[in-house]
């Protein structure tokens, strides 16, 4: 049985009610609950959480699924705080033991001290930016993908703690031109390809 840990990082703040990421998180939960080959745990960063229990979820899971909107080209502050608090709690308790370097040779092996080797993660993001902002010449992101551009540091963070990526999926133009039904369809296909095929 594959153990799945779903994190809803969709923050309720300002004009955002976090509805899209709540919808995607619920779709994820239902997808895995409807298949007896999976066991699921969840966290919503808008609700109170215990850092010790959250570390235990990371250690327990085979796959962590992160759902987050992107605000100002970064994670929302509530989700970033969650990571800072939980990963700090997880120091030498299952998430990472060190940065991987030794005092004898401090110039090599940075980023090899993670404790979550053998685990995988998947990332979904939601954007106001259209996908063309990443793909067309002369547009804002200079033809850098989400994963190799704005979210490069997020992926390196997961590598630091020892995890390997599954293919990400990114939802674009959510504020001005949303097509939630189509996004959900695409997302179900994505999950099916990754986890059932």
């Amino acid at each position: 049985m594959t153990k799945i840990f779903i994190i809803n990082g969709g923050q309720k703040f300002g004009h955002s009610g976090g509805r899209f990421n709540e919808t995607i998180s619920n779709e994820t939960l239902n997808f895995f609950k409807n298949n007896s080959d999976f066991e699921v745990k969840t966290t919503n960063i808008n609700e109170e959480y215990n850092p010790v229990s959250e570390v235990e979820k990371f250690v327990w899971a085979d796959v962590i699924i992160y759902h987050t909107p992107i605000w100002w080209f970064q994670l929302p502050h509530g989700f970033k705080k969650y990571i800072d608090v939980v990963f700090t709690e997880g120091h030498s308790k299952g998430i990472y033991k060190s940065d991987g370097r030794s005092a004898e040779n401090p110039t090599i092996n940075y980023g090899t001290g993670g404790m979550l080797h053998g685990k995988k993660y998947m990332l979904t993001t939601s954007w106001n930016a259209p996908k063309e902002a990443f793909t067309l010449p002369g547009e804002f992101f200079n033809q850098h993908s989400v994963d190799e551009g704005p979210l490069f540091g997020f992926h390196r963070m997961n590598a630091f703690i020892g995890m390997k990526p599954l293919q990400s999926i990114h939802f674009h133009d959510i504020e001005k031109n949303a097509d939630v039904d189509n996004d959900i369809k695409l997302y179900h296909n994505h999950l099916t390809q990754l986890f059932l095929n």
Side-chain angles (χ1 to χ4, degrees), residues 168-187:
S168 303
I169 184 168
H170 307 293
F171 303 101
H172 296 282
D173 218 353
I174 293 301
E175 286 195 32
K176 292 188 175 67
N177 195 27
D179 186 349
V180 176
D181 289 342
N182 188 57
D183 285 341
I184 288 172
K185 217 175 287 180
L186 290 172
Y187 185 52

Side-chain angles (χ1 to χ4, degrees), residues 5 41 43 49-58 86 89:
F5 176 30
K41 293 185 181 184
T43 288
Y49 53 83
N50 178 312
V52 173
S53 299
E54 296 305 301
V55 170
E56 289 170 356
K57 290 178 187 177
F58 273 89
V86 172
E89 180 63 37

Side-chain angles (χ1 to χ4, degrees), residues 130-144:
K131 65 182 176 185
E132 292 80 7
F134 298 88
T135 60
L136 293 180
E139 287 297 315
F140 188 78
F141 290 100
N142 298 316
Q143 294 179 277
H144 288 90

Side-chain angles (χ1 to χ4, degrees), residues 120-141:
K120 296 179 180 174
Y121 71 96
M122 189 191 88
L123 170 65
T124 78
T125 65
S126 54
W127 295 78
N128 173 49
K131 65 182 176 185
E132 292 80 7
F134 298 88
T135 60
L136 293 180
E139 287 297 315
F140 188 78
F141 290 100

